[in-house]
Every structure is written in C-alpha cells, then in structure tokens.
Amino acid sequence: DTEHKGASHLEEVIDWPVEELQLGQVSGVALDSKDNLIIFHRGNHVWDENSFDRKHIYQPQGIGPIQQSTIFTVDPVNLKILNAVGRNIFYLPHGISTDKDDNFWVTDVALHQVFKLGSKGEYLLILGQAFQPGSDKDHFCQPTDVAVDPANGNFYVSDGYCNSRIIKYSPDGKFITQWGEESSLSRIPKPGQFFIPHSLVFVPGLRQLCVADRENGRIQCFVAESGEFLREIHHPEFGGRLFAISYTPGGRLYAVNGEALVGNSVPVQGFVMNFSTGEILDIFKPAKENFLMPHDIVAADDRTVYIGDVQASRLRKFIPSESKCELIL
Ligand SMILES: O=C(N[C@@H](O)C(=O)O)c1ccccc1
C-alpha cells in the first residue's frame, strides 16, 4: 500500500555499471546542485594498519599523491563521467561535501588538511599543515568531514580520528568556535563527547549540525550557532558503530552503521529515519552481498540513496521499491 508514505522500502539497483569507473577505496559520496553523484576515492592508495605511526604521522609519504582523478562527478543513471578532478593532490581521501556553488569540500586524513576546491579542482582554501597532526587552531588530526551552512557560507569540520571536536569557520576560513571532547572510555559517553566524529550533516531549516559519533554508535545534534547540545539519536539496531549520515529537506535522516568490533555481530545496514522524531522508517541492505564497511552515504530529495563502501571499494545505489513499478492502488 504505497499510500502510507513511510512504508516504502529501499532496494538496491543491481544493473548499475559501477565497475567501469575502476574506483579504489570509496571514502566519500555527495551530490551537486543538479543531483549528479560526486565520488571521492583513493585510486591505488589504501588505508591499512601500516599507514600511520602511533603519532598519527602518515608513513608512505614517499609514494607521492594519488595520480588518478580522485573526485568524479557522474550521471547517476548511466554513470557517465561528467567531470574528473583531484589528481596529484591527495594521499588518503576521506570526506567530501558540496556547497550551493558546487565547490568541493574535502578532507585528507594523511595530510591532516581540509580543502575547498572549485569545480575544476582549483584550490580555493586549504586549512591545516601538510602531514602535521595537531589539535590547535592551525592543525587537525585525521579530519573526517565538512558541512557548509548554505545561508551564510560558514562551514564545520569534524576533527577527527585523533581529535574529538567540531570546529566552526567563517566562509573565508577564519576560526569562529569549536566544541567537543574525548569520550571517557570507561563511562557512558556524555553529550558533546565524541569517539571519532566521522560524518556531518547541516540541517538548514532547523539550523542544526548533526554528527555521526562513530565509535559511540550514535548521532548527536547541536545548535549550529553555538555548538549547544540539542539531542542524541540512538537505536539498538545501530550496534556499537554509526559511520555516516545524510539529510534530505523532506525531513528524512539516513545513516549506515558498521560491524561490531567486540561482542556479538550486528547486521551492517542502512537506516531511514524521521529526523524530527528520530524513529526508524526503513532498514535496507544490498540485494545479494553484504556491506563490508559502508563508509559514507548521501540521499537525494527523490529518495535515491548512494553508499560508498571503503573496504569493498564499491559504490551502491538504492531506490524506493514502489518506484520500480508505479502501483496505482
Ligand atoms: O577505520 C579505518 N579506516 C576507515 O575509516 C577508512 O576511512 O578507510 C581503519 C581502521 C584501522 C586501520 C586502518 C583503517
């Protein structure tokens, strides 16, 4: 009964020629102002246990930056490449977002830097010091994502694997404020504490910033203006790790979780939630295989969903089942 809108179920589009893109580890996905799909991938570089020393210094600097284009803009239906940029810049791509002018905002966890690139890949802003981790105003430590406020151009950085903070900047990259602190491993994590702030969404209507608090397996939402904690969204179905989130103006919040590192395993899957109530509307997974490490998610207004799996070096597309055959009941 398609009348009950919330009841629709997302199913994977299986005849989607994604192999032809020859993607490496897919770390980030985004949409541009025309709902073209943006893919951020690592080409022939991989993040594995030898990539960093215990001071978070990227080890294989000598191999140089990825020579392939790391940022593809593709037609979401036939995967035709419309734009390919980001060659000879990045070592370990991580998060990608776009703004209303179709600029690319990306993070690189090896460089510990945040970049604003124009649609031709030209440098418009670079924050952080190449290969130098840190936690002051001029350094990040494996920054994970960026979100831009469309109303005023302020932007937010989730920093990162080896920091536990959100930093707010003016449009030209001036530090405005920051919030967040490390979770105490022993006790229940408090509001405003993070254990890998991993993915960001800006919710324009409500002027909120929400964070996928990855290893705490939860979403935290804050007042964008001040960083004041507003609420947490958590479901047992998330298991212990929540990797990425995406918001659509229809008021839906999308998420992907990760496999449990300890304890009994949980299904790795996608979630569709009602943003204001937090309730789960749908749970979805690939048609045949399992997700390995769904690392980023982006949803379009028409409820098409794209997921980048960084371990499977795969990109997957999902559409609401009723859109497969319009049932007029
Ligand atoms: O989580 C990891 N990576 C992903 O987030 C990613 O961005 O690739 C990771 C953890 C341990 C060792 C190596 C990689």
Side-chain angles (χ1 to χ4, degrees):
D1 164 6
T2 58
E3 290 316 303
H4 177 56
K5 276 287 157 256
S8 84
H9 179 57
L10 285 173
E11 288 180 3
E12 186 177 10
V13 173
I14 43 180
D15 52 352
W16 202 43
V18 70
E19 293 74 21
E20 288 159 27
L21 289 173
Q22 300 194 320
L23 299 171
Q25 290 189 323
V26 181
S27 67
V29 287
L31 293 170
D32 69 11
S33 57
K34 302 183 190 67
D35 272 356
N36 293 314
L37 176 61
I38 317 282
I39 307 161
F40 197 26
H41 77 111
R42 298 178 176 154
N44 61 348
H45 286 202
V46 294
W47 181 356
D48 58 28
E49 39 294 325
N50 308 314
S51 300
F52 294 90
D53 69 8
R54 53 182 179 64
K55 290 192 173 143
H56 315 295
I57 305 287
Y58 181 65
Q59 296 299 293
Q61 295 179 28
I63 64 175
I66 299 163
Q67 291 174 341
Q68 296 110 297
S69 297
T70 56
I71 304 175
F72 283 134
T73 302
V74 301
D75 177 307
V77 176
N78 58 25
L79 286 168
K80 192 164 145 302
I81 296 177
L82 307 173
N83 188 25
V85 298
R87 310 167 68 99
N88 297 319
I89 303 176
F90 303 113
Y91 289 75
L92 278 181
H94 197 273
I96 188 162
S97 302
T98 54
D99 62 23
K100 61 182 177 38
D101 304 318
D102 286 342
N103 297 306
F104 302 119
W105 294 79
V106 298
T107 71
D108 183 310
V109 291
L111 288 167
H112 303 290
Q113 288 182 301
V114 174
F115 297 78
K116 176 187 182 182
L117 301 180
S119 53
K120 294 282 160 282
E122 70 276 22
Y123 292 123
L124 299 177
L125 207 54
I126 303 181
L127 298 178
Q129 304 300 321
F131 299 118
Q132 294 174 30
S135 51
D136 59 18
K137 288 189 179 175
D138 203 20
H139 295 79
F140 303 106
C141 196
Q142 295 174 328
T144 53
D145 203 8
V146 186
V148 184
D149 177 346
N152 54 29
N154 290 341
F155 63 93
Y156 301 80
V157 174
S158 39
D159 177 40
Y161 284 82
C162 30
N163 279 333
S164 301
R165 61 178 179 171
I166 306 299
I167 314 168
K168 177 179 181 179
Y169 294 93
S170 67
D172 57 357
K174 297 241 176 340
F175 178 92
I176 294 178
T177 186
Q178 70 174 14
W179 69 90
E181 60 180 34
E182 204 170 355
S183 299
S184 49
L185 287 180
S186 53
R187 287 187 298 282
I188 306 279
K190 299 190 187 82
Q193 291 186 336
F194 298 110
F195 186 0
I196 306 184
H198 193 252
S199 167
L200 296 177
V201 294
F202 190 86
V203 181
L206 297 168
R207 302 201 53 68
Q208 290 182 22
L209 186 83
C210 296
V211 185
D213 186 5
R214 174 169 141 176
E215 301 303 312
N216 284 329
R218 64 180 181 175
I219 298 158
Q220 295 190 68
C221 294
F222 303 87
V223 176
E225 225 44 54
S226 60
E228 178 200 348
F229 174 79
L230 283 173
R231 68 170 171 154
E232 168 186 301
I233 299 175
H234 172 269
H235 293 285
E237 292 87 342
F238 288 171
R241 305 167 84 209
L242 204 274
F243 273 64
I245 49 178
S246 177
Y247 175 80
T248 56
R252 281 188 168 79
L253 184 66
Y254 295 77
V256 280
N257 71 334
E259 59 163 303
L261 289 182
V262 292
N264 46 8
S265 69
V266 288
V268 181
Q269 47 200 4
F271 303 87
V272 185
M273 289 165 278
N274 173 320
F275 179 74
S276 53
T277 65
E279 66 172 325
I280 292 177
L281 300 173
D282 183 23
I283 296 179
F284 61 97
K285 50 202 316 184
K288 299 194 182 76
E289 302 128 345
N290 285 330
F291 283 126
L292 292 186
M293 186 182 269
H295 192 258
D296 198 10
I297 183 169
V298 68
D301 293 2
D302 68 359
R303 293 157 53 189
T304 304
V305 174
Y306 305 93
I307 289 173
D309 188 318
V310 75
Q311 234 163 46
S313 295
R314 277 289 313 243
L315 185 66
R316 294 185 188 277
K317 174 179 181 179
F318 299 82
I319 56 175
S321 47
E322 80 269 12
S323 58
K324 290 200 181 219
C325 53
E326 286 301 331
L327 293 175
I328 313 297
L329 294 178

